[in-house]
Amino acid sequence: MTHPTDSQLQFETIWESYFKPARLLLLESDPLRALILDQENNLDLFDPQGKNIFSLQLQDQIKSISLSDKLETLAITSNGQSMFIDHEGKILFKKRIVPALLGNISPSGNFFSFLTRDATIVLTDKIGRPKWVYRNLQKIPSFLQTSNDAEFIIFDCVDDRRDGIAVLKNDGKPAGSFMGISLLKDIRISKTEAIITALDSQNTVYSFSAAKSKRLVKTALEYDISGISYSEKEQKILAFSKSGQLFLIDSQGNVIWNYQMATGILSAKISNDGRELFLATETGKLTLLRSKSLQEKNLSEINEIKTNENQAPESSLTKFFKRNWQIDLEKPFDGEKSMAVHWMDDNGIEYLFFYNGRQSISLYNDNGEEIWSQRINQKKIRSLAASQDGDLLLILGQDGAAGYDLEGSEKFRIMGRFSASHVFHSGNFVLLTDKKNVKLYSSEGNLIKIPEEINKISQLAGLESSLCLLSEKEICLANSEMKLGKKISLQGKPEHFRADNPSNTFFISFTDSSLFLIDQAGNELYRYKFPFKVTDAAFNSVEDVIIAFSEESAETLIINNRTDKKYNIHLNGKVTCLSFHEHGYVAATSIDELYLLGYSGERLAHYTFPDKIMSIQTCVNMKDVFIIAESSLTKLSLEEKT
């Protein structure tokens, strides 16, 4: 076995989220999700972004929990009852299907498997009707696992050959066993290929094929390992210890990577494509890590994109756009356009700072109520920006920049010719002069001396704490104090350039139809060669899906990097703008129709908008959208059809 250095495989943190001290904890991947029962008997479900979907206070003491791909929960109470909870945290039923010790819901959500107090294994459908009962148990199992649609059910067992794993088929008949193993600490079965992975008390890691009754891997580790996870596509096993060690084992049983975390690990999962690690640490933190080198390797596999393959599947619409409120406005003056920027305060209230294109600015809350409004003397506004922490609203116009506090009072005015601006989370902001120099200011409008002069910059784009500077032949990263960081040479002539806040990435499209994505540290995520010139794109870093469109050729393409599939989208009219949404992407077309598109290109919702759409902004909750139109400002939500 080889133990390469950590530098051969590097992971970066995508997001972190916190949870309360846990009594029961379950991590799953594809899709990422975490189900946690805390010490106060609250059951919490976390989504792929680490956000809490629901928190449910339970009255019963819970002995086991399991989770389907549909985010349905099966919980077993201390008195043997089964509690079935839907994806919104609603208890659909609580009843005694069998006197259960353990319970498991299949990933498909169609079957329950139970270990009973009578020492039997029972398979039922999702409303509790028994399919079969298996009684030949020589010990009470500690583990019970089910493949995708209950094709195989596995559990730990014992006979005269010591401990092992028993495998049952969907009809309840034995499909074989794997014996001669020391006492088991963990067992898993993959969804599609039914690959069993196991960890015994001697810290030996195994994998078996349930379908072929064949052992695939046996690897002894020299550490006290506490759990395992399996990547079906890459055929890799992730092993982890409570002391914070991580190991990746390939299909030949070789340890190809190991790493020592700074904190202990309660549970860990590897994604199906092997590119992401999902961790729960003893400090109460959920963390998603993504491999940099694996992304680069995947790049060449989808570099040449053919739009005549894998057409986006048509499906019945499952959701609809609901108008929450609409504010009717006069059309902007000639040469002006309406625009907005939004944020959420510490109390969970979202605010929208709006310019109407008629020399007037306003602040609205998320109920559409106007907080304040006032006239401004500036013309031809180019951009708006905001910082809640810096108490700053920044307006950039043709004659300079003006700063206002959140109450609408003017703080400062900076005269000059500027082509671009950006406000950092701290309130510091930068202006790009017409002579291509970058200047840094405090939230009060005072000029700040920067470490070195920055010039010959054609464009800039920023995130909360980082800035990307574009020059003729390279891009350069900088922080909020304008300390320069990583530089990347460019090949080709840039055409479109912007920052994407939801994914914390920068997009650069080129005249040769290529698209370049980097993260806020300057690491290359993807480089694509498109069959069209890209006007704009949006990237979901958690689902690892990108959508790009061209106004010139009326083409729209979705690429799912995780599945290596691509979908050519055909809508009514050309796509003119789009925004990320928790269910996919909201896109507007040239004939002012709105679509919610899923990650595989399926149409989930459709809405004909009564005004010319200028831009779309997704709310912080990722559920609702603001529509900035020629003569209106509207908030829409996406609702499930009943």
Side-chain angles (χ1 to χ4, degrees):
M1 294 188 298
T2 59
H3 294 268
T5 61
D6 298 339
S7 61
Q8 287 183 261
L9 186 61
Q10 296 182 356
F11 288 86
E12 62 177 334
T13 301
I14 302 301
W15 55 255
E16 293 180 334
S17 182
Y18 291 89
F19 61 91
K20 296 178 181 178
R23 196 159 59 82
L24 294 175
L25 185 149
L26 178 68
L27 301 186
E28 297 291 355
S29 58
D30 303 309
L32 293 171
R33 54 213 189 274
L35 187 65
I36 298 172
L37 182 71
D38 67 22
Q39 302 286 359
E40 298 175 353
N41 222 35
N42 295 305
L43 186 68
D44 290 278
L45 179 63
F46 293 86
D47 71 5
Q49 287 83 28
K51 297 178 181 178
N52 188 281
I53 297 175
F54 69 72
S55 183
L56 179 63
Q57 174 70 50
L58 299 178
Q59 304 302 316
D60 301 87
Q61 291 300 308
I62 304 300
K63 296 184 64 176
S64 76
I65 53 176
S66 62
L67 189 63
S68 76
D69 288 351
K70 300 174 183 177
L71 304 184
E72 301 162 325
T73 300
L74 176 65
I76 304 301
T77 69
S78 58
N79 62 6
Q81 289 187 312
S82 299
M83 186 182 301
F84 187 41
I85 303 166
D86 71 7
H87 66 285
E88 294 180 340
K90 181 181 178 181
I91 299 175
L92 300 182
F93 65 71
K94 184 180 73 171
K95 60 185 177 181
R96 191 181 182 91
I97 298 175
V98 294
L101 289 174
L102 291 176
N104 187 273
I105 185 171
S106 66
S108 67
N110 295 328
F111 294 96
F112 298 151
S113 57
F114 297 99
L115 167 67
T116 74
R117 296 180 179 181
D118 304 325
T120 62
I121 303 291
V122 180
L123 184 74
T124 75
D125 62 19
K126 68 187 303 181
I127 62 173
R129 293 175 296 195
K131 296 293 184 182
W132 48 258
V133 178
Y134 181 80
R135 303 181 186 278
N136 300 327
L137 299 180
Q138 296 185 33
K139 75 163 214 174
I140 301 297
S142 299
F143 303 97
L144 181 65
Q145 294 285 314
T146 310
S147 64
N148 185 51
D149 211 29
E151 298 88 352
F152 296 98
I153 295 89
I154 64 169
F155 54 92
D156 54 306
C157 63
V158 67
D159 66 9
D160 55 6
R161 294 169 292 174
R162 294 194 302 169
D163 288 83
I165 302 168
V167 184
L168 302 179
K169 294 185 291 187
N170 186 262
D171 58 5
K173 296 179 181 179
S177 62
F178 303 98
M179 307 303 296
I181 305 172
S182 297
L183 185 66
L184 286 160
K185 295 164 71 173
D186 196 8
I187 62 173
R188 305 283 170 180
I189 185 167
S190 67
K191 287 193 286 190
T192 306
E193 299 296 329
I195 301 299
I196 300 169
T197 48
L199 170 69
D200 70 12
S201 58
Q202 302 300 310
N203 299 308
T204 302
V205 176
Y206 302 86
S207 72
F208 308 92
S209 170
K212 299 178 181 178
S213 297
K214 178 183 177 182
R215 191 182 79 190
L216 305 175
V217 166
K218 179 181 179 181
T219 298
L221 298 176
E222 300 172 356
Y223 299 88
D224 187 15
I225 305 301
S226 53
I228 50 173
S229 176
Y230 183 66
S231 164
E232 197 162 46
K233 182 178 178 182
E234 293 294 316
Q235 299 179 353
K236 290 183 175 68
I237 300 171
L238 174 69
F240 63 91
S241 72
K242 290 182 178 179
S243 59
Q245 289 146 325
L246 291 165
F247 300 88
L248 269 181
I249 302 167
D250 67 13
S251 59
Q252 305 302 311
N254 298 312
V255 176
I256 59 173
W257 176 79
N258 64 79
Y259 186 75
Q260 175 66 53
M261 296 286 291
T263 184
I265 299 172
L266 300 177
S267 185
K269 281 285 182 180
I270 185 170
S271 63
N272 184 46
D273 60 9
R275 299 170 59 182
E276 295 172 339
L277 304 183
F278 189 28
L279 311 178
T281 70
E282 63 181 11
T283 57
K285 188 182 292 184
L286 291 174
T287 303
L288 177 65
L289 304 177
R290 177 167 296 148
S291 163
K292 299 176 185 177
S293 56
L294 281 174
Q295 285 181 318
E296 293 168 2
K297 187 181 76 172
N298 238 15
L299 221 57
S300 61
E301 300 175 10
I302 55 174
N303 191 38
E304 293 299 325
I305 300 167
K306 299 179 180 179
T307 58
N308 59 348
E309 297 179 0
N310 299 315
Q311 296 295 317
E314 288 291 334
S315 62
S316 58
L317 302 182
T318 59
K319 305 178 189 300
F320 67 95
F321 287 93
K322 177 184 176 182
R323 187 171 64 184
N324 293 346
W325 50 260
Q326 180 171 306
I327 300 169
D328 294 325
L329 306 164
E330 292 185 75
K331 289 184 179 181
F333 294 137
D334 291 342
E336 300 274 6
K337 64 178 181 178
S338 54
M339 59 185 71
V341 62
H342 66 280
W343 69 92
M344 181 179 285
D345 71 4
D346 296 334
N347 297 317
I349 300 174
E350 197 153 359
Y351 292 93
L352 189 80
F353 178 43
F354 181 70
Y355 173 64
N356 67 357
R358 299 178 64 87
Q359 295 183 271
S360 177
I361 55 174
S362 304
L363 185 70
Y364 297 96
N365 65 18
D366 48 15
N367 289 324
E369 299 166 333
E370 184 179 273
I371 308 300
W372 53 259
S373 180
Q374 65 170 284
R375 300 279 298 174
I376 60 174
N377 293 324
Q378 290 173 290
K379 295 180 180 180
K380 295 192 175 178
I381 303 303
R382 293 174 177 172
S383 65
L384 304 180
S387 166
Q388 180 187 347
D389 286 2
D391 189 26
L392 175 62
L393 304 173
L394 186 70
I395 303 173
L396 181 64
Q398 69 173 5
D399 297 322
Y404 295 79
D405 64 23
L406 300 184
E407 301 298 324
S409 299
E410 184 173 311
K411 300 174 69 172
F412 59 81
R413 187 169 295 199
I414 301 171
M415 304 305 293
R417 298 282 181 173
F418 303 103
S419 60
S421 65
H422 173 66
V423 175
F424 294 104
H425 183 73
S426 63
N428 283 1
F429 65 94
V430 293
L431 297 176
L432 179 62
T433 72
D434 59 353
K435 295 182 179 180
K436 300 187 177 182
N437 298 322
V438 176
K439 295 184 178 295
L440 177 66
Y441 298 84
S442 72
S443 61
E444 300 302 319
N446 300 316
L447 185 66
I448 299 174
K449 185 177 180 180
I450 58 179
E452 59 182 286
E453 186 176 349
I454 303 173
N455 50 37
K456 296 183 180 180
I457 302 300
S458 57
Q459 296 183 58
L460 60 81
L463 302 169
E464 284 192 348
S465 58
S466 63
L467 185 72
C468 189
L469 305 166
L470 176 67
S471 60
E472 185 178 351
K473 295 183 179 180
E474 69 177 15
I475 54 175
C476 181
L477 277 293
N479 64 14
S480 59
E481 298 175 349
M482 291 311 295
K483 292 179 180 178
L484 299 182
K486 190 171 183 178
K487 295 182 179 180
I488 303 172
S489 298
L490 298 177
Q491 297 178 352
K493 183 180 180 181
E495 190 165 27
H496 297 285
F497 172 59
R498 76 171 183 90
D500 185 61
N501 280 288
S503 62
N504 283 320
T505 55
F506 297 100
F507 295 89
I508 308 170
S509 64
F510 297 84
T511 54
D512 67 350
S513 302
S514 59
L515 180 68
F516 185 31
L517 271 72
I518 62 171
D519 65 16
Q520 57 188 337
N523 299 305
E524 179 177 342
L525 299 177
Y526 292 106
R527 188 188 294 269
Y528 300 99
K529 179 72 172 180
F530 277 84
F532 51 77
K533 286 187 178 182
V534 176
T535 301
D536 200 4
F539 178 54
N540 184 327
S541 59
V542 176
E543 297 293 335
D544 207 1
V545 177
I546 186 169
I547 182 171
F549 72 91
S550 170
E551 286 187 323
E552 189 176 291
S553 62
E555 293 183 89
T556 303
L557 194 67
I558 289 180
I559 302 172
N560 190 318
N561 299 295
R562 185 171 291 167
T563 62
D564 291 336
K565 292 182 179 179
K566 41 205 176 284
Y567 305 92
N568 206 1
I569 312 302
H570 299 281
L571 303 174
N572 295 327
K574 300 178 182 179
V575 173
T576 56
C577 56
L578 54 82
S579 185
F580 171 68
H581 186 270
E582 67 169 351
H583 296 299
Y585 302 93
V586 177
T589 71
S590 54
I591 59 173
D592 302 309
E593 293 194 342
L594 282 170
Y595 293 90
L596 175 63
L597 303 174
Y599 298 120
S600 298
E602 67 273 27
R603 302 180 190 188
L604 302 177
H606 172 244
Y607 183 75
T608 300
F609 200 77
D611 196 359
K612 182 175 179 55
I613 300 172
M614 308 304 294
S615 66
I616 306 169
Q617 294 189 20
T618 305
C619 298
V620 177
N621 64 14
M622 305 309 296
K623 300 176 185 293
D624 307 327
V625 291
F626 294 117
I627 306 297
I628 294 91
E630 189 175 57
S631 56
S632 63
L633 175 63
T634 307
K635 182 181 179 182
L636 301 175
S637 61
L638 273 298
E639 307 287 341
E640 295 281 346
K641 281 189 174 181
T642 56

